[in-house]
């Protein structure tokens, strides 16, 4: 390796280290042009030094490779706590100033850069949406490698360098992510280069992978299907040489892999001290190379002159006078090491994926509609119908759309997609296998974490996708959803971040049709997690039939910067809307099903408005509501019943709470200001109260939903266990509409008896009453 | 191996397979004494055959080892879908009849056993709490190995056999769990025997581990630190011999390990066909050995005579006439293979841990109290105080209590525990390390999944523990919490399941004091997930100071069958209660802070009740509420203010909704029926509305809480960003108490100005206003 090149790499590294320390400590005096005084030091020292020099080391060396090979590359910093590193690089590369012109690449800008870090009104302490070049926050650890693979899919020329902290490597999602290499296609996909950074410690403990015998570590990584290359040491010059040589080998191997040599992909194990090049010992206690270097190695700098002196020595050890000119600009020997334009990892358009985003070519969803001659007369399986449209979405967008799921795509009845594509699979294939191919557009792995992480990486680099999942088990990624939603919430405030495609969930095999799998599979609570996030980024849809699902699906794939949650069943449900009606209904988000109600049938012409509103959201609750409406029409024909179906749950909120929110006057017009409303809801009933507690008629609102009752039983028994069944809804109406208690006492008793009969029938025959199973709208 | 023994093992295996198939298909005719007719077949075929024969094979062979070595063992079936297997064993072992006397071990009982499986009013299709011998449901996959290790901790004589499905092995939590072997102590802990069952397929796909080259698989498992033994094949006789020999080797290695040979623990890779011994081909399509064997291999049995004939052949292939006598009882050659009494894995007390549970020896928490001379005058760090008590809890219960956390025990300021114990660690130790030892009682791994899984296994086998975690990242185990809560909900209905110790969460480093780590670390939404589960099993506590935390901690460690969530800060907060007051306050769950209010100071003797109620829950919201009360007392001394603090959140609900719920009359007495209530809440504000929407004064309730605003800033700035700060509370009071708008206009403006000044000060100096930082109760 050319020594002059390595000298410049070292200069770049020292500059990045200097800038990192400065961000953690300094308010002023960025070039140490005068002795450090307490006023130069931040009052609160917030930042993570420990991982930073290793992150800087990798970045510096990767830049050399980018220049030498004109390689397209992005950088994912798993140890997101190393925020100072990512910011330092963006500044050295000039990207920071391009994004934030106030932070110039000179002494004045360096002062701002230092001051703003982890400072009120400034920037976060972690790699974050505010950080140029980042698609990965890393505040919550475990997702770097999955994000890296997501970024690499369908980017055949890209290398995604992914530094994985050895703390992060203990997490489940990261441990699962190594096997992502079984789902990549050398021809169509880019290459992920994992760099496992063993600095030995997490917050206060050694890490597992740093403390197992090296032969076990190598076996583990080989077992994951990689060719590990070890780079170990703490002497900078030797380490530079070793790292540079290793990267040459690694990128030669990557080139051979891309040319189809069929070999395993390389990876690097970088073993370097935590807090490398920082203070070795402070107050008699070892710091460098121990967990004590995790955050701020010198804690008393503002008040303790000795510590302050050590800080000064530490920063001067990087010889800033060689790195920056008198005006604080990086010297030419550093700037020449910076790649050009979009080759800079801090400026890669892949790390601001919205700028690469192209709208999907979407086949007209109307062409996939089921024909509806009269409402609720025939049935379709909504997800099966959606699958035919998704099949053609995939066909029309062979490089920018992926369908993900934890081995549930067929179970969720989206199998039509396999008419046009396969499951991505790059491991062994047997003759009995079906629909497996390296280039498949459907990604199935039994890990919701991987599905979510891959999709996030794919979306943030400017592509599109849909994650289909059993409803109950989407809770597995609650935390990942939270972090992605927070990323979107923050991104929206950042002018230079272009909008990305929404993260779309299709939750099927939902709570009401997990009767066969039992209690562990019954949980509709993801919606409660979702609505905690900011209204600007979350949308929840509960289409009640096939045509409304098509309309919602099309809407979601066109949207940007949201998380869309769609809950829809795979079992047959009644077709309620023609396509035109479905579009109108979904556009309004909710509406009256005129044909199902009786308020206009009344012979009492003086009456205004309904006696009772039956509201519903979700396919099974809607079916039960319609059946209840039919019972009421039959047995209490004088009762004026209104049926309201809600597709877009966010419509229920005030406009002040959500952009989709309805005005109170609209809400009152639909739900009345004062009549009883029986709301039959797909999820936990409290969510409806939470969304509507400010509404005029909140006191009149009675919500049925899943109340955590269930087992292995029949679908209708599930409904009865939770009192969302048609007979109980009729009872609710009788109990709540003034005057009915006496008038309809016989009907009420009949409903009670019918429920008992249904229960007994189920327990005896193992299936629901025929009249329940085959029910259609009788009018 | 003695051929006669293996013949009996095979008979047992065939019997278990026969009983498994019977459960999936038959309503009647259990012994096939007459030709199968449609009436003998269940109308809905619900069950999972694919994994079952493998589970049965392992169980049969492990029974042989138990007998041969008098080994104490339990069995965890990772493929929880194999419910029929676990039920079959319990019945063959006689345990099923002991637990459910109606299901006798004869033909009549067999008929019931078959009929009830996956049948309404019967038992779930998965291994579940209803299943004798189980501590692991497996409905949601990924946790078997963590549960197994949790069960093994502090059970030195126990072997926990853990069958891991190759689907499950793709999940993150399972992938992380392999490294649990770095946290075990050969002397103090039992041994986990992982049996990785490669049957090749998940629902509709091949599995990763079944399709990587065998040398990679072996390296992977060796890299995880195990000695893998491969058992591959499909010919039963050869497989019996191979498995028996392998188990001899394995248990010899386990014995050597227990004697301290320092070697790696053995494990087994069982490669056998999915749906082994089931139909090979149905309707021309291969079934056995493919994913199509996952659920029900013959789907049309009721209507299709050909399928029915195949089912009959299949069941007869096990030669039931050799296995059961004319009365349907297992023959002696089978029953002699069943271990005695509690040696039966289906009857092990470890798998019904409540029967082994002993109360903790708890040091008197009152002895750890901070002294409080006057309220809100001095500060303590609540978790640091709790740490001193936990230290002594650990010391007093050296074999039955563990403290778990994802490397945050010190960060959460529980470090006093290290005065008495260490962190469990069985990998390399360096001279600079502190508090690492194989026998440590503190378990720290950077995986919330592992902490949760280990603790669940530990609790379900009759021990105690506490999981401390950053509040935001506890969402990582939302799904695991859900499943454990469901386990408890179901267990409570099962008479023979003895109550187990509660699962206790201590959430610290909470949303209001993650100002330094930024937005990704700010999320109080776990509470919203928790309250969705049944009221009988969930408890939420928000102690506002050190003494209330001690009182709550003691209460939680004494409780049974709950999930207790305690949110408490690690930063200094004002001491509010003497120990006696704290106990009284926690016992009531909420109460008026008389000293902080002004309703009794009023000179207007005709006034009744307060003009406004300031309610609060959580330490930071309580501090801000007190500061607001002080401001009101100073500036509006005539205003009658009541301050109510809530520790036990469930008190806010109706008694019909939660056993801790307050009656409406009590609620009205505290919160008034009609005065404005400003409720300052720790979490998302909607939760308070959800809990109180039925209360008389709900319309008067105005809730402040976290509304998803945050970044890296100061603590008080965090409060201001979300309007929970003292100044905004005063503004809220002025805006809501009739008549104040005009009278207190100047004060209102002053509050607005003070907020702006506080904001500006923070942005300039990087810290909060001194009067905010050092505030104490001034009266």
């Amino acid at each position: 390796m050319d020594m002059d090149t390595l000298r410049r790499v070292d200069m770049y590294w020292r500059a990045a280290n200097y800038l990192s320390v400065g961000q953690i400590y300094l308010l002023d005096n960025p070039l140490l042009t005068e002795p450090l005084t307490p006023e130069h030091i931040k009052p609160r020292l917030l930042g993570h030094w420990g991982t930073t020099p290793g992150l800087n080391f990798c970045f510096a060396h990767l830049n050399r490779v980018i220049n030498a090979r004109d390689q397209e590359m992005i950088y994912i910093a798993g140890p997101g706590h190393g925020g100072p590193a990512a910011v330092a690089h963006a500044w050295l590369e000039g990207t920071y100033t391009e994004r934030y012109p106030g932070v110039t690449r000179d002494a004045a800008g360096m002062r701002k850069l230092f001051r703003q870090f982890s400072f009120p009104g400034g920037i976060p302490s972690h790699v974050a949406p505010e950080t140029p070049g980042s698609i990965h926050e890393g505040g919550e650890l475990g997702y770097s490698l999955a994000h890296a693979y997501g970024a690499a899919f369908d980017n055949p020329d890209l290398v995604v360098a992914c530094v994985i902290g050895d703390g992060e490597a203990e997490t489940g999602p990261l441990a699962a992510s190594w096997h992502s290499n079984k789902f990549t296609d050398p021809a169509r996909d880019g290459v992920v280069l994992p760099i496992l950074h063993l600095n030995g410690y997490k917050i206060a403990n050694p890490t597992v992978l740093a403390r197992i015998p090296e032969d076990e570590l190598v076996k583990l990584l080989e077992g994951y299907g990689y060719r590990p290359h070890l780079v170990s040491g703490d002497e900078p010059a030797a380490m530079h040489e070793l790292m540079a040589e290793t990267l040459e080998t690694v990128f030669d191997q990557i080139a051979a892999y891309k040319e189809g040599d069929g070999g395993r992909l390389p990876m690097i194990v970088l073993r370097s001290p935590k807090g490398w090049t920082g203070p070795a010992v402070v107050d008699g206690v070892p710091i460098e190379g121990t967990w004590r270097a995790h955050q701020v190695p010198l804690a008393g700098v503002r008040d303790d002159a000795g510590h302050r002196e050590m800080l000064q020595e530490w920063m001067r050890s990087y010889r800033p006078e060689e790195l920056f000119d008198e005006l604080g600009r990086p010297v030419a020997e550093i700037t020449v090491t910076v790649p050009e334009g979009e080759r800079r990892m801090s400026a890669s358009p892949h790390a601001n994926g919205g700028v690469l985003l192209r709208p999907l070519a979407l086949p007209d969803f109307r062409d996939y509609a089921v024909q509806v001659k009269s409402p609720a007369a025939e049935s379709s399986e909504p997800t099966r119908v959606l699958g035919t449209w998704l099949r053609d979405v995939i066909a029309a967008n062979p490089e920018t759309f992926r369908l993900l799921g934890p081995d549930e795509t067929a179970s969720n009845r989206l199998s039509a997609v396999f008419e046009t594509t396969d499951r991505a699979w790059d491991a062994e294939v047997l003759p009995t296998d079906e629909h497996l191919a390296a280039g498949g557009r459907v990604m199935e792995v039994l890990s919701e974490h991987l599905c979510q992480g891959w999709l996030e990486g794919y979306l943030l680099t400017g592509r599109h996708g849909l994650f289909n999942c059993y409803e109950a088990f989407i809770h597995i990624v609650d935390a990942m959803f939270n972090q992605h939603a927070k990323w979107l919430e923050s991104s929206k405030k950042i002018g230079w971040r272009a909008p990305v495609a929404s993260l779309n969930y299709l939750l099927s095999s939902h709570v009401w049709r997990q009767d066969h799998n039992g209690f562990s599979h019954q949980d509709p609570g993801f919606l409660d997690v979702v609505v905690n996030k900011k209204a600007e980024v979350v949308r929840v849809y509960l289409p009640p039939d096939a045509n409304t699902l098509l309309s919602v699906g099309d809407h979601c794939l066109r949207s940007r910067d949201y998380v869309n949650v769609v809950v829809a069943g795979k079992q047959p449900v009644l077709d309620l809307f023609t396509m035109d009606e479905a579009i109108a209904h979904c556009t309004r988000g909710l509406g009256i099903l005129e044909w199902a109600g009786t308020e206009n049938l009344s012979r009492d012409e003086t009456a205004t408005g309904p006696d009772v509103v039956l509201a519903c959201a979700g396919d099974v609750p809607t079916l039960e509501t319609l059946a209840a409406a039919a019972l009421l029409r039959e047995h209490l024909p004088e009762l004026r019943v209104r049926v309201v179906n809600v597709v877009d749950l966010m419509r229920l909120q005030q406009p002040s709470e959500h952009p989709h929110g309805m005005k109170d006057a609209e809400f009152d017009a639909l739900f009345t200001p004062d009549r009883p409303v029986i709301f039959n809801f797909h999820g936990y009933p409290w969510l409806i109260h939470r969304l509507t507690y400010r509404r005029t008629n909140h006191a009149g609102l009675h919500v049925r939903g899943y109340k955590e009752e269930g087992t292995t039983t029949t679908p209708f028994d599930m409904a009865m266990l939770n009192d969302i069944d048609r007979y109980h809804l009729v009872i609710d109406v009788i109990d709540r509409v003034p005057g009915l208690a006496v008038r309809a006492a016989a009907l009420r008793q009949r409903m009670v008896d019918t429920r008992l009969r249904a229960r007994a029938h189920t327990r005896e025959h193992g299936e629901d009453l025929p009249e329940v199973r085959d029910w259609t709208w009788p009018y």
Side-chain angles (χ1 to χ4, degrees), chain A:
Chain A
M1 187 60 52
D2 165 18
M3 278 303 132
D4 217 41
T5 303
L6 286 190
R7 193 177 53 78
R8 283 194 291 268
V9 169
D10 182 64
M11 286 180 72
Y12 182 99
W13 184 46
R14 284 190 278 129
N17 286 341
Y18 182 87
L19 293 167
S20 300
V21 181
Q23 288 177 77
I24 294 175
Y25 285 98
L26 298 190
L27 275 180
D28 207 341
N29 190 17
L31 286 166
L32 301 181
T33 44
E34 51 181 314
L36 277 179
T37 66
E39 292 68 40
H40 297 147
I41 309 295
K42 296 186 181 185
R44 297 178 83 204
L45 299 175
L46 304 177
H48 293 78
W49 166 247
T51 187
T52 299
L55 288 173
N56 289 339
F57 184 78
C58 296
F59 201 100
H61 277 271
L62 292 169
N63 266 351
R64 189 196 62 73
V65 174
I66 290 171
N67 288 327
R69 299 183 181 237
D70 190 25
Q71 174 65 55
E72 192 178 28
M73 203 181 312
I74 63 170
Y75 188 77
I76 290 185
H81 287 286
V87 171
H89 296 291
W91 189 82
L92 282 172
E93 298 198 320
T95 319
Y96 212 92
T97 307
E98 292 164 21
R99 300 278 188 259
Y100 305 98
V103 184
T104 46
R105 196 158 57 155
D106 56 17
M110 197 191 292
R111 181 179 173 279
K112 279 191 193 162
L113 191 81
F114 287 4
R115 188 184 177 87
Q116 70 173 9
F117 177 80
S118 265
F119 201 81
I123 62 169
S125 59
H126 297 170
V127 182
E130 288 85 346
T131 317
S134 172
I135 61 161
H136 172 80
E137 169 133 5
E140 181 173 286
L141 301 178
Y143 317 130
S144 63
L145 191 54
H147 285 166
Y149 272 96
F153 294 142
D154 296 314
N155 270 326
D157 300 324
L158 185 67
V159 167
V160 184
C162 179
V163 182
I164 300 158
D166 47 354
E168 177 178 25
E170 291 178 12
T171 67
L174 199 292
S177 298
W178 294 105
H179 288 297
S180 302
N181 53 7
K182 282 81 189 179
F183 299 86
T184 54
D185 180 354
R188 301 177 63 142
D189 298 327
V191 164
V192 173
L193 171 60
I195 303 175
L196 176 62
H197 185 202
L198 299 183
N199 69 24
Y201 301 89
K202 30 199 199 257
I203 304 182
N205 267 304
T207 57
V208 168
L209 294 189
R211 295 293 181 89
I212 61 175
E214 197 154 279
D215 68 309
E216 266 184 31
L217 177 67
V218 169
K219 280 182 181 172
L220 182 67
L221 299 170
E222 288 177 353
Y224 282 133
Y226 297 85
R227 279 195 274 190
H229 298 267
L230 274 65
V231 177
S232 305
D234 58 6
E235 206 285 298
M239 285 291 277
H240 281 312
E241 217 164 325
L242 184 55
M243 185 69 166
E245 282 164 13
T246 303
L247 281 172
E248 285 305 297
T249 310
V250 158
F251 277 84
D252 287 347
Q253 289 177 351
I254 288 174
Y257 168 87
K258 287 299 290 180
E259 281 165 20
D261 75 346
R264 293 292 181 240
L265 275 169
M267 63 160 293
I268 292 174
V269 178
L270 171 64
R271 205 187 277 270
S272 69
K274 187 149 186 159
W276 195 15
T277 73
V281 175
V282 177
D283 302 337
V285 176
I287 303 292
E288 188 191 15
T290 79
W291 75 92
R292 297 187 194 90
H294 182 68
Q295 294 195 5
V296 178
L298 294 162
V301 187
R302 208 178 194 195
D303 304 319
D304 181 325
H307 278 201
R308 209 156 52 242
E309 183 57 36
M310 288 179 74
L311 172 61
Q312 200 157 279
E313 270 174 45
W314 173 16
M315 293 189 72
R316 287 206 193 287
S317 76
Y318 300 119
R319 305 196 297 281
E321 64 284 3
E322 297 177 9
L323 312 174
F324 308 102
D325 67 18
E326 324 77 66
L327 298 178
R329 299 174 303 199
V331 299
E333 281 191 289
I334 287 176
T335 52
V336 296
T337 71
V338 170
E340 291 286 316
E342 295 191 346
R343 279 285 182 270
R344 293 171 298 176
M345 292 191 285
S346 60
S348 171
H350 295 292
N352 183 16
V355 302
L356 298 175
L357 186 70
R358 296 290 167 268
L360 288 169
L362 289 178
D364 191 336
F365 65 97
R366 296 176 196 83
D367 299 342
Y368 303 80
V370 298
Q371 298 309 310
V372 181
K373 287 181 192 143
S374 66
E378 310 211 28
S379 293
S380 305
E381 295 156 293
T383 55
R384 195 181 296 281
V385 174
L386 187 75
T388 61
W389 180 68
L390 287 175
R391 172 195 64 209
D392 295 346
V393 171
I394 290 171
N397 302 276
E399 293 174 351
T400 54
F401 179 85
R402 293 207 180 211
L403 176 65
L404 300 98
D407 190 27
E408 292 159 4
T409 302
S411 172
N412 287 331
R413 304 192 184 172
L414 300 172
S415 317
V417 298
F418 297 119
E419 296 166 18
T420 194
T421 189
D422 300 303
R423 299 175 173 98
W425 186 256
D426 199 28
E428 187 190 8
V429 177
L430 299 182
T432 47
D433 289 333
E434 289 180 358
H435 301 307
L436 299 181
R441 314 302 301 161
V442 178
M443 321 251 348
E444 295 207 300
V445 59
L446 213 163
S447 166
E448 288 79 1
H449 291 115
L450 274 188
C451 293
Q452 173 89 16
W454 289 343
L455 181 55
E456 289 176 0
Y458 198 64
L459 297 175
L460 291 174
T461 48
R463 284 79 61 79
H464 308 260
L466 174 69
F467 178 4
N468 81 93
C469 188
Y470 281 15
E471 183 182 36
F473 301 145
I474 197 67
H475 272 299
I476 291 170
V477 295
D478 276 3
M480 296 182 78
F481 154 78
N482 278 336
Q483 295 298 326
H484 186 73
K486 281 176 177 280
W487 179 279
L488 294 177
E489 291 170 12
S490 296
S491 292
K492 278 176 178 270
K493 298 178 189 160
I494 300 166
W496 58 266
R497 285 242 172 232
V500 296
S502 301
L503 196 163
N504 301 304
Y505 293 101
L506 173 63
L507 306 184
S508 195
S509 306
H510 61 56
V511 56
W512 299 111
R513 297 308 300 262
Q514 282 289 358
D515 44 284
H516 60 301
N517 272 321
F519 196 41
S520 64
H521 286 52
Q522 296 159 358
D523 191 314
F526 186 61
L527 302 186
D528 297 275
V529 174
V530 168
V531 297
N532 273 342
K533 290 291 159 276
K534 275 209 180 157
E536 295 99 87
V537 303
V538 295
R539 303 288 182 269
V540 177
Y541 300 99
L542 295 144
D545 74 352
N547 286 343
T548 47
L549 176 59
L550 281 169
S551 174
V552 165
D554 179 79
H555 176 76
C556 291
L557 290 195
R558 292 177 191 277
S559 74
R560 299 290 179 262
D561 273 355
Y562 297 151
V563 176
N564 296 308
V565 183
V566 182
V567 185
K570 67 185 184 185
Q571 304 286 349
V573 296
L574 293 172
D575 304 321
L576 305 180
F577 300 95
T578 66
M579 196 73 238
D580 285 345
E581 290 165 353
I583 294 169
H585 189 58
C586 293
T587 305
R588 281 192 301 263
L590 79 180
I592 298 173
L593 305 188
E594 303 273 0
W595 51 270
T598 49
E599 52 182 322
N600 300 328
L601 303 182
S602 171
R603 282 165 296 182
D604 177 357
E605 291 176 8
T606 65
T608 54
D611 296 317
V612 64
V613 177
L614 298 184
C616 51
D619 55 4
V620 169
T622 298
L623 171 69
E624 292 305 317
T625 297
L626 291 172
L631 284 164
L632 290 169
R633 180 185 292 217
E634 180 182 351
H635 297 289
L636 294 172
E638 296 296 307
L639 188 72
R640 296 189 310 280
V641 174
R642 174 181 295 176
V643 177
V644 175
N645 177 266
V646 180
V647 177
D648 175 353
L649 207 61
M650 300 296 97
R651 293 284 282 152
L652 296 178
Q653 287 189 286
Q654 250 82 9
S656 59
E657 299 295 314
H658 196 284
H660 290 193
M662 260 191 300
K663 289 180 185 165
D664 279 332
E666 288 178 86
F667 191 94
D668 291 351
L670 273 176
F671 292 97
T672 81
D674 53 3
R675 307 298 153 83
V677 179
I678 314 294
F679 198 124
N680 212 22
F681 180 50
H682 171 85
Y684 291 103
W686 312 281
L687 178 54
I688 299 300
H689 286 294
R690 171 177 155 172
L691 297 175
T692 59
Y693 68 87
R694 291 184 184 172
R695 297 296 188 180
T696 316
N697 191 16
H698 182 255
L701 184 69
H702 186 67
V703 187
R704 292 289 172 196
Y706 184 64
K707 49 184 196 181
E708 199 66 14
E709 293 288 344
T711 180
T712 306
T713 185
T714 62
F716 192 72
D717 200 44
M718 275 297 296
M720 284 200 293
L721 283 170
N722 292 281
D723 298 339
I724 72 153
D725 61 284
R726 57 197 70 178
Y727 306 123
H728 208 288
L729 295 178
V730 171
I731 292 171
D732 285 335
V733 169
I734 294 169
D735 289 350
R736 270 150 219 284
V737 174
L740 278 191
V742 174
R743 183 149 64 95
L747 177 63
R748 190 184 193 289
Q749 188 56 47
R750 187 166 152 192
M751 294 294 104
V752 170
D753 294 342
T754 306
R755 297 183 95 233
L756 292 173
R757 183 165 58 86
R759 200 84 216 276
H761 179 92
T762 301
R763 286 179 170 245
E764 188 177 342
H765 299 282
E767 54 187 12
D768 289 321
L769 286 172
E771 65 256 43
V772 165
R773 267 185 287 147
D774 307 329
W775 187 86
T776 56
W777 182 248
Y779 296 99

